[in-house]
Amino acid sequence: MKTQGFLSEATIRSAVFIILTFQNASVPLMTRYARTSEAGDPYCVPLMVVIQETTKLIASLLLLGNEVGLGRLVSTLNSEIVSRPTSTLRLAVPAVLFFIQNNCIQQSNTYLPAAVFQVTYQGKTFIVALLSVLMLGRRLERFKWLGICFLAVGVALVQTSSSSDSRSREAAAADSSSIELGGDMFLGLMYVVIAACCSGFANVYFEKMVKTAEVTVVV
């Protein structure tokens, strides 16, 4: 199916793939640097998340305008959002969860190295698989469960290694009265777990809404 706008479907898919790859690779590194750099005071995380979500909203409106046509943008928003208040309000659940997730991701990068954060955050795959079975009635093959188990073991090994390194650093710096900003691995881990749970539940909840025709993909 070809896109009727000024960009082809293949072009949009390629652009999205490149952008997501760059985002997943660069955001933890840049966030870690920005939150732990001594060049200035750390930025306000909630304000940054609001700006981030506003940028996403503008980009979504542009993509929707490309899909339905700029002339029909307002009428589409009216028919799919304003005229369907019940379905729109139900979207507040994943919206709030994604807001909490983004805040937790920013906070976790303050306390965890970028590599540890990336590996640990992939634990959301296990959460999505479990919730898909419980909420959507989906059945997963044995090899998929095996892959998820390997993922869980890998995350556990990374955390064990990180905890050992953290204890070694704390023992070496026992005489120091100051605590570094990125020293609390446990707090960073808690932020990652909350972010993974919010992301997993929000994605499965939204998929259930789409499949039960409570909301359209346009929204």
Side-chain angles (χ1 to χ4, degrees):
M1 178 179 178
K2 294 183 179 180
T3 305
Q4 298 178 354
F6 52 85
L7 294 177
S8 66
E9 183 176 352
T11 301
I12 294 177
R13 288 184 177 181
S14 300
V16 169
F17 176 78
I18 294 173
I19 292 173
L20 289 178
T21 301
F22 175 77
Q23 170 191 324
N24 291 331
S26 62
V27 167
L29 295 173
M30 293 188 292
T31 304
R32 173 70 175 175
Y33 175 79
R35 292 290 297 169
T36 60
S37 176
E38 298 179 356
D41 296 332
Y43 55 83
C44 177
V45 172
L47 178 60
M48 192 284 303
V49 173
V50 170
I51 296 174
Q52 174 182 328
E53 296 304 318
T54 303
T55 304
K56 289 181 181 179
L57 175 62
I58 296 174
S60 299
L61 291 176
L62 292 176
L63 291 175
L64 179 60
N66 174 68
E67 180 179 347
V68 302
L70 295 178
R72 297 182 53 193
L73 178 59
V74 176
S75 60
T76 301
L77 292 176
N78 180 67
S79 61
E80 297 293 341
I81 297 179
V82 178
S83 300
R84 305 177 63 180
T86 303
S87 298
T88 303
L89 288 176
R90 288 174 182 171
L91 287 174
V93 175
V96 171
L97 290 176
F98 281 131
F99 182 81
I100 297 174
Q101 168 207 338
N102 289 330
N103 276 275
C104 289
I105 288 176
Q106 294 292 325
Q107 296 289 358
S108 64
N109 277 291
T110 304
Y111 304 101
L112 294 177
V116 176
F117 164 78
Q118 279 286 51
V119 175
T120 307
Y121 186 60
Q122 298 312 310
K124 67 179 181 180
T125 304
F126 175 78
I127 298 174
V128 170
L130 182 62
L131 292 178
S132 295
V133 174
L134 296 177
M135 297 177 61
L136 302 179
R138 184 175 296 165
R139 299 186 61 181
L140 301 179
E141 293 80 359
R142 292 182 179 179
F143 73 91
K144 291 184 179 180
W145 283 115
L146 182 62
I148 293 173
C149 290
F150 278 125
L151 174 63
V153 171
V155 171
L157 290 175
V158 169
Q159 289 305 317
T160 302
S161 175
S162 300
S163 299
S164 300
D165 294 340
S166 178
R167 285 194 295 268
S168 299
R169 289 194 298 269
E170 291 174 358
D175 297 332
S176 176
S177 58
S178 61
I179 300 176
E180 295 183 357
L181 182 62
D184 198 339
M185 298 287 293
F186 179 77
L187 183 58
L189 177 61
M190 291 298 98
Y191 277 123
V192 173
V193 171
I194 294 174
C197 291
C198 290
S199 175
F201 182 82
N203 281 291
V204 176
Y205 179 86
F206 180 74
E207 181 179 352
K208 183 177 181 180
M209 290 185 66
V210 172
K211 288 187 174 181
T212 55
E214 295 182 6
V215 66
T216 63
V217 180
V218 173
V219 179

